[in-house]
Amino acid sequence: MRIKLFQEKTLEEDRAEIYYREMTVEIEKVCQLLEGATPQLYGLEDGQQILLKLEEIYYIDTVDKKTFAYLKEQVYQIQGSLSFLETALSQHGFCRISKANIVNIQHIHKVKSEPNMRLKVVLTNQEELVISRYYRKPFQNYLTKVRGILHD
């Protein structure tokens, strides 16, 4: 897919146009993202797709080029790259914390300091994830931003 971006300071309203030969899942996801709709994630279970509720996802992980959503007691393989999911889910409480992880901040129980300028998050199900040094500051900024939204 080819994408072209143009900045026009004289526009009264942002707009996007999408040209396609046939509607694909990828194009549907882009449309949902542009429309600000809540993304829908489907997990694979026994060859069937199961609609996952975003609020039930604790974190998303990538292993061997496969993406997985971790719920309280289940793990589902899902479609989409981590960078796409990071963008699509950032307005729904999800934040990138490492090269391979996105966490749902609603499921963070506590944040602990670790050696070498790292942080560790303990989730409400007691799982622990390490926030890499690279993602530490963006994570802290995201928390500050979300707290500001929640407290306004």
Side-chain angles (χ1 to χ4, degrees):
M1 177 186 319
R2 186 175 44 162
I3 297 174
K4 292 183 181 182
L5 298 172
F6 303 97
Q7 181 179 13
E8 288 186 39
K9 295 187 184 249
T10 59
L11 286 178
E12 293 180 22
E13 166 180 66
D14 293 332
R15 72 172 192 249
E17 296 179 10
I18 299 174
Y19 300 85
Y20 60 92
R21 289 183 301 245
E22 67 179 70
M23 184 58 71
T24 63
V25 173
E26 182 181 44
I27 293 172
E28 285 178 4
K29 287 179 182 179
V30 169
C31 292
Q32 287 174 356
L33 183 63
L34 290 172
E35 291 169 349
T38 301
Q40 293 187 333
L41 291 181
Y42 292 90
L44 294 174
E45 181 178 66
D46 298 328
Q48 295 183 353
Q49 290 190 343
I50 309 279
L51 179 61
L52 305 177
K53 294 180 181 175
L54 294 183
E55 64 270 11
E56 292 179 355
I57 298 172
Y58 282 64
Y59 66 98
I60 297 171
D61 185 36
T62 297
V63 179
D64 295 331
K65 297 185 181 182
K66 293 181 182 174
T67 308
F68 299 92
Y70 290 77
L71 284 64
K72 187 173 184 175
E73 297 179 4
Q74 300 93 357
V75 178
Y76 295 99
Q77 185 175 348
I78 59 174
Q79 297 295 314
S81 68
L82 222 52
S83 57
F84 172 79
L85 293 168
E86 175 186 12
T87 303
L89 300 175
S90 67
Q91 296 194 354
H92 301 281
F94 288 79
C95 182
R96 184 83 170 253
I97 61 167
S98 69
K99 188 176 178 180
N101 295 113
I102 298 172
V103 69
N104 183 345
I105 64 164
Q106 303 304 321
H107 288 290
I108 294 176
H109 175 64
K110 63 183 169 182
V111 179
K112 301 189 303 188
S113 293
E114 289 284 299
N116 297 328
M117 296 290 294
R118 292 184 178 179
L119 293 175
K120 183 182 283 187
V121 293
V122 180
L123 303 177
T124 54
N125 66 354
Q126 301 308 309
E127 278 198 65
E128 296 181 353
L129 301 172
V130 174
I131 301 171
S132 70
R133 288 181 301 198
Y134 181 82
Y135 289 99
R136 178 186 173 125
K137 190 71 174 164
F139 172 77
Q140 291 171 324
N141 291 340
Y142 185 81
L143 279 184
T144 301
K145 175 184 161 192
V146 170
R147 284 184 187 138
I149 291 169
L150 295 175
H151 291 96
D152 283 348

